[in-house]
Amino acid sequence: FDKTNTYYTNLYFTSLSQSPKLFLEIIKKQIKIVKPKVIIMFGAEVTKVLSNTEDSIFHSRGKWYDIYIEDNLDTVSGISMFHPRYILSNNESKKETWSDLKDIKKILVD
């Protein structure tokens, strides 16, 4: 994984009290610039905003979503993963995270 094929994101570059629409505008502009093959969404907040779901991270983790970038025409595949902080404090999540990373690698190699 590197910056030419993967875009890592969470919500911590903006205040969580900000409007999700503002976050969505910012993140979509970044995605247009980076043009990643895969978006890795670390945590529930970013997954909810980008994938338009209300699922908790325990229901969305490991699922792939089509992330709509512009007028529902352009999409990028995105996967929901546990936030690194959670992984570090919950050893049992490492196996699931490793599985997610292997799935991402398959997408990038194809």
Side-chain angles (χ1 to χ4, degrees):
F1 310 115
D2 63 42
K3 65 182 179 181
T4 64
N5 60 19
T6 309
Y7 178 67
Y8 304 86
T9 188
N10 65 31
L11 289 176
Y12 296 110
F13 62 82
T14 186
S15 169
L16 291 178
S17 64
Q18 293 288 329
S19 163
K21 287 184 180 184
L22 175 61
F23 168 75
L24 203 52
E25 287 177 31
I26 293 169
I27 201 83
K28 284 185 176 186
K29 285 181 183 181
Q30 291 176 349
I31 291 168
K32 286 179 196 176
I33 293 168
V34 174
K35 299 178 184 165
K37 189 171 182 182
V38 171
I39 298 171
I40 298 173
M41 301 175 287
F42 289 124
E45 293 88 2
V46 70
T47 300
K48 287 178 181 180
V49 173
L50 285 179
S51 65
N52 198 28
T53 185
E54 288 300 318
D55 290 343
S56 73
I57 191 63
F58 300 104
H59 288 101
S60 65
R61 192 233 33 101
K63 289 185 182 176
W64 287 90
Y65 296 91
D66 287 331
I67 309 301
Y68 294 98
I69 306 306
E70 196 167 10
D71 300 327
N72 294 342
L73 299 176
D74 298 326
T75 63
V76 177
S77 294
I79 186 169
S80 178
M81 291 181 62
F82 291 131
H83 193 279
R85 244 186 337 214
Y86 179 81
I87 298 164
L88 290 172
S89 62
N90 295 282
N91 284 332
E92 66 278 359
S93 68
K94 290 179 182 178
K95 183 177 180 181
E96 294 166 310
T97 301
W98 185 247
S99 175
D100 294 342
L101 291 171
K102 290 191 301 187
D103 288 345
I104 295 165
K105 187 174 181 181
K106 286 178 193 173
I107 297 287
L108 294 177
V109 172
D110 289 344

